[in-house]
Amino acid sequence: MRRAVVVLAVLLGQLLTGLGLFTGAARADEGAGRMAQVDDGTAPVQDLAGRTAHSRGQTGRVALIGVSGLHWNDLTQADTPNLWELAASSAIGSLSVRTVGNVTCPYDGWLTVSAGTRSAVGYGCGAPPVPEQQGEGAVIPDYRYLIDVAGQRNAGILGESLKAAGQCSIAIGPGAALGLADRQGAVQHYHASPLQVRTADLEKCRMIAMDVDDLIRPYLTGDRLPKVPDQLTAAQRREALRLADAKAGALLSVLPADTTVLLAGLSDHGSVPHLRVAALRESGAQGRLLGAASTRREDISILPDLTSTALTKLGVAVPTTVVGVPVQAGEHGATFEHLQRADATAQTMRSAKGQYFTALAVLQVLFYVLAFLLLRRRKQLPWIRAAATALAALPVTSFLVNLLPWSTHLELFGGMLAWWAAITALALAGPWRRRPLGPLAVVAGVTALTLAGDLLTGTTLQLNSFMGFSAEQGARYFGLGNIPFALFATGTLLTTTMIAHRWPGKIGLAAIVGLGAAAMVLGGSGLGSDFGGVIAFVPGIAVTALILSGRRVSLVKLALFCVAGGVIVMTFAWINYLRPANEQTHLGRFVGQVLTGEALDVIWRKLQAMLGTLLNPNLMPIVIVAVAFLVYAILRPEQASAGVVPAAFEHSPALRAGLIGTLVSGVVGMLVNDSGAAVLSMALALAIPLLLATGIGVLMRREQSVPGVGEQLARVTK
């Protein structure tokens, strides 16, 4: 107990002083926020928002080469010698090109570079429009449609920032024109091909962008991406790569010597998202990993980071609406093979994710049906208990498998199976197996400790996890995801109620409040960067504590607990907002969105996403069957479960309190998170099987304690 109090005090101290827990950068799936500016000790300039920034000298320049559809498997010395040489002399990493939809077309990719925040044109996804030449420059036709009709209020931020800073720019190709256009759609200097420019032409301006569309053009059908994974043969793709490489080589051959080069695979090429190429060539970058604080990953960056990087390298202040931060060259040892494996791992996870959740839903439904039939007959109680324990141990294996590297389905499922067997055996084979709460304590404890340890070590286990997030999906790159929150909250509440069962009274209440608050701080601080989870966790902890203390829980109190959760998370967000822009998470950026009036758009998008999960065929069956079984088991205990649930509650009132707190947290979490039903379904998937395992353990103990006939006769004789 003393150790728990000390840990909590340290965490709260770090929170109040702003040290450690609130470091890190912005999550990439929310709207706008204040972004970083680089202080290199030179003269200050003013940005569009009037903030002070520092300018580099006027000698360097930046060239952004966007090769739509390019990923690391494409680069070979034989087919792409120019791009190969460029990447080999650069810092390299993976680029997540996710914008608004699951798949990013070239139009949306270049529009995101222009806006510095995830953007989409709003209709069929395909190639960017061809600009109309006007003297040395050009104009994007119907450009104001993006701002006035499509709602892309930030379109043109990159070009407008350059123009306001007195910097000219050169665009080569339609996508580059879109990326560098100002708010009126005008481009200062435009060329349709790199063959039209010479070194002297490029020396006029410090910002150069080129759209290399040769690789993506064969995929387009009527200027739209196909709805198939990959419609080109290997030979056709190699031919397209050669054309793209030749165009990139034409520009590289005439670039001035002092040019910083950014290479980016700006879009997808079919119906399946991939991690794309990101490379930065400048002095000292060769052989290093390329990442960004926006993802907190040393080898992953996002599209808006390109906007921030270009402006920062040119000494132009980054506007407040730009979400990205400058990319950073990290540790040495970057290889093409490492980045190829990263995409292969993401694709392995993606290809099996739907089947995994379908299998999980089927197992849950089958378990409850069989448990209902067998429990009514009081048959096979040990086997039902083992099955319940194993079912509850399954979710955490999706995180633990990432303790070792894997890239194939065999390695993935083989590792998960090994962890599943180990946790189940630990729960059922140890000396605690004789105690009704033993298996629950092991599975819930392993789940909570795994996720707590992951938060404290950079959330490496949640990346590329069935229950976590994947980089190519672009929803989250660090922190506590919505499904992991459900498992973390449930595991924590059940574990702390076991402490309250063992040490009832003040010690048990202190454990629930103290350890629950510590877990909440982990989730809501910069380590977890979880917004809705804090709102849901507070009422779960409070309800559990109130029930254990014998006090009544009313709807008014429940509402006040939810409000308290909102106040606490906004406090987290406000403290985070006060930190430097490049250290903010999406919590701090939400405060900025409230101040700029953009918060309602974010809330509306999340509400739509939450409602969309209510019809999910994999999630809702888990919720329906688990809740139906629980309600029926409580209302008709002897008919439904041979009294298993009442037996568990009678054995441990603390367990009853913890289960109610878990349900409250799960329901509130479903309502305030965009993952919706996924939160409640995973909370139930962990809690209800463990409840049944506990109740069966109680019944088995009662049966073993009943005296046999010989013992009864002996007692009568005595």
Side-chain angles (χ1 to χ4, degrees):
M1 180 62 193
R2 182 179 301 174
R3 183 176 299 175
V5 173
V6 171
V7 171
L8 177 61
V10 171
L11 290 172
L12 292 176
Q14 289 180 319
L15 167 64
L16 294 176
T17 57
L19 296 174
L21 291 182
F22 286 88
T23 59
R27 176 181 167 190
D29 66 338
E30 302 290 353
R34 300 182 301 162
M35 288 295 110
Q37 301 166 39
V38 175
D39 182 358
D40 55 11
T42 54
V45 296
Q46 296 293 318
D47 72 352
L48 296 179
R51 293 181 289 118
T52 299
H54 293 270
S55 175
R56 297 180 62 181
Q58 299 295 313
T59 57
R61 55 183 42 81
V62 173
L64 170 61
I65 302 177
V67 185
S68 297
L70 184 69
H71 60 62
W72 285 108
N73 289 328
D74 293 325
L75 296 186
T76 65
Q77 285 182 299
D79 295 328
T80 57
N82 295 302
L83 294 175
W84 175 277
E85 182 181 355
L86 172 60
S89 60
S90 304
I92 56 176
S94 298
L95 179 66
S96 176
V97 298
R98 170 74 178 267
T99 54
V100 176
N102 291 328
V103 175
T104 297
C105 67
Y107 198 149
D108 290 352
W110 280 106
L111 183 60
T112 297
V113 172
S114 168
T117 187
R118 291 179 171 182
S119 306
V121 64
Y123 52 84
C125 196
V130 178
E132 299 172 353
Q133 195 86 38
Q134 291 187 0
E136 290 187 355
V139 173
I140 308 296
D142 300 322
Y143 185 83
R144 288 298 304 184
Y145 164 87
L146 295 172
I147 301 174
D148 300 333
V149 179
Q152 301 304 311
R153 296 189 296 266
N154 297 315
I157 287 296
L158 175 57
E160 201 72 29
S161 298
L162 292 170
K163 185 172 70 173
Q167 300 287 344
C168 73
S169 59
I170 300 173
I172 305 172
L178 177 65
L180 295 181
D182 62 17
R183 301 280 289 173
Q184 303 304 316
V187 186
Q188 299 173 12
H189 300 275
Y190 178 73
H191 300 278
S193 167
L195 300 178
Q196 299 175 353
V197 298
R198 299 168 300 174
T199 302
D201 300 321
L202 300 177
E203 288 176 342
K204 296 177 182 178
C205 298
R206 299 181 60 225
M207 180 67 208
I208 304 161
M210 182 171 72
D211 175 17
V212 180
D213 60 0
D214 300 86
L215 177 57
I216 197 70
R217 196 183 306 125
Y219 289 93
L220 299 177
T221 303
D223 287 338
R224 297 292 182 266
L225 277 184
K227 296 182 179 180
V228 295
D230 198 331
Q231 66 182 14
L232 296 188
T233 65
Q236 290 172 328
R237 187 168 177 87
R238 282 198 302 271
E239 181 59 31
L241 280 166
R242 293 188 185 103
L243 294 174
D245 184 74
K247 181 179 288 186
L251 177 65
L252 290 169
S253 65
V254 295
L255 279 178
D258 61 347
T259 304
T260 295
V261 180
L262 284 166
L263 173 64
L266 278 175
S267 78
D268 292 306
H269 64 270
S271 61
V272 176
H274 283 268
L275 292 173
R276 302 292 169 175
V277 169
L280 170 68
R281 188 178 74 179
E282 63 179 4
S283 177
Q286 182 176 0
R288 295 177 180 269
L289 288 170
L290 185 66
S294 57
T295 64
R296 276 198 213 165
R297 304 288 175 184
E298 63 178 359
D299 60 347
I300 303 174
S301 56
I302 59 175
L303 280 176
D305 292 336
L306 300 176
T307 309
S308 180
T309 301
L311 291 173
T312 302
K313 296 291 183 184
L314 296 173
V316 177
V318 181
T320 58
T321 56
V322 173
V323 171
V325 298
V327 295
Q328 300 172 348
E331 298 293 329
H332 283 285
T335 63
F336 294 179
E337 291 76 14
H338 166 78
L339 300 173
Q340 290 167 356
R341 284 197 304 271
D343 184 58
T345 300
Q347 294 307 315
T348 297
M349 179 62 62
R350 178 181 179 83
S351 64
K353 199 164 192 175
Q355 293 89 329
Y356 171 82
F357 278 102
T358 299
L360 182 63
V362 170
L363 286 175
Q364 290 273 333
V365 173
L366 286 177
F367 168 75
Y368 288 114
V369 171
L370 292 175
F372 173 78
L373 295 175
L374 293 174
L375 287 174
R376 293 186 66 182
R377 296 176 173 86
R378 283 285 184 106
K379 293 183 177 181
Q380 306 297 332
L381 292 185
W383 287 104
I384 300 174
R385 190 188 193 210
T389 303
L391 192 63
L394 183 58
V396 74
T397 63
S398 68
F399 306 117
L400 292 172
V401 71
N402 286 328
L403 287 174
L404 296 174
W406 58 267
S407 59
T408 66
H409 289 93
L410 180 61
E411 294 169 340
L412 169 62
F413 288 109
M416 291 180 62
L417 183 61
W419 278 111
W420 193 16
I423 297 172
T424 304
L426 180 66
L428 296 174
W432 43 79
R433 70 185 183 277
R434 298 184 181 88
R435 298 179 179 273
L437 291 168
L440 183 149
V442 171
V443 175
V446 168
T447 301
L449 288 174
T450 296
L451 289 168
D454 190 39
L455 288 172
L456 291 169
T457 56
T459 58
T460 57
L461 301 183
Q462 292 182 61
L463 182 66
N464 289 328
S465 164
F466 286 127
M467 295 288 179
F469 39 82
S470 182
E472 97 286 350
Q473 292 178 332
R476 181 185 275 270
Y477 304 93
F478 65 90
L480 190 65
N482 291 333
I483 292 179
F485 153 72
L487 297 172
F488 186 41
T490 302
T492 300
L493 287 172
L494 293 180
T495 302
T496 54
T497 54
M498 295 310 94
I499 299 175
H501 172 83
R502 177 64 179 82
W503 292 283
K506 294 182 179 180
I507 295 179
L509 284 175
I512 291 173
V513 175
L515 294 179
M520 182 190 66
V521 170
L522 282 178
S525 68
L527 291 174
S529 300
D530 188 23
F531 195 95
V534 175
I535 300 176
F537 217 155
V538 170
I541 297 170
V543 166
T544 302
L546 277 182
I547 294 175
L548 269 183
S549 62
R551 299 182 182 180
R552 181 173 172 270
V553 178
S554 64
L555 290 178
V556 174
K557 290 180 180 179
L558 186 59
L560 291 175
F561 294 148
C562 293
V563 171
V567 171
I568 291 173
V569 78
M570 287 307 296
T571 302
F572 281 137
W574 178 257
I575 296 174
N576 188 249
Y577 177 72
L578 297 178
R579 295 189 65 81
N582 67 327
E583 296 180 7
Q584 291 178 11
T585 69
H586 73 289
L587 297 178
R589 291 220 312 278
F590 182 76
V591 175
Q593 291 164 350
V594 171
L595 297 176
T596 60
E598 297 177 280
L600 290 178
D601 294 336
V602 176
I603 295 173
W604 175 245
R605 289 199 307 269
K606 288 185 173 293
L607 177 62
Q608 289 178 309
M610 184 275 291
L611 294 174
T613 66
L614 298 181
L615 299 178
N616 188 289
N618 290 329
L619 300 175
M620 288 312 296
I622 299 176
V623 174
I624 293 172
V625 70
V627 172
F629 187 93
L630 180 62
V631 171
Y632 191 35
I634 293 174
L635 296 180
R636 297 287 188 272
E638 295 302 326
Q639 297 179 20
S641 62
V644 168
V645 173
F649 290 162
E650 181 182 353
H651 175 74
S652 176
L655 176 59
R656 175 177 174 272
L659 180 67
I660 295 175
T662 294
L663 293 177
V664 168
S665 184
V667 171
V668 175
M670 180 182 72
L671 297 176
V672 300
N673 282 294
D674 51 6
S675 294
V679 175
L680 181 58
S681 66
M682 289 304 105
L684 294 172
L686 178 60
I688 305 304
L690 291 179
L691 171 66
L692 295 181
T694 301
I696 292 172
V698 174
L699 294 181
M700 291 170 59
R701 172 184 278 191
R702 289 176 180 175
E703 290 180 354
Q704 293 170 0
S705 64
V706 174
V709 176
E711 293 178 350
Q712 295 179 17
L713 291 175
R715 291 176 183 175
V716 170
T717 302
K718 291 180 181 179

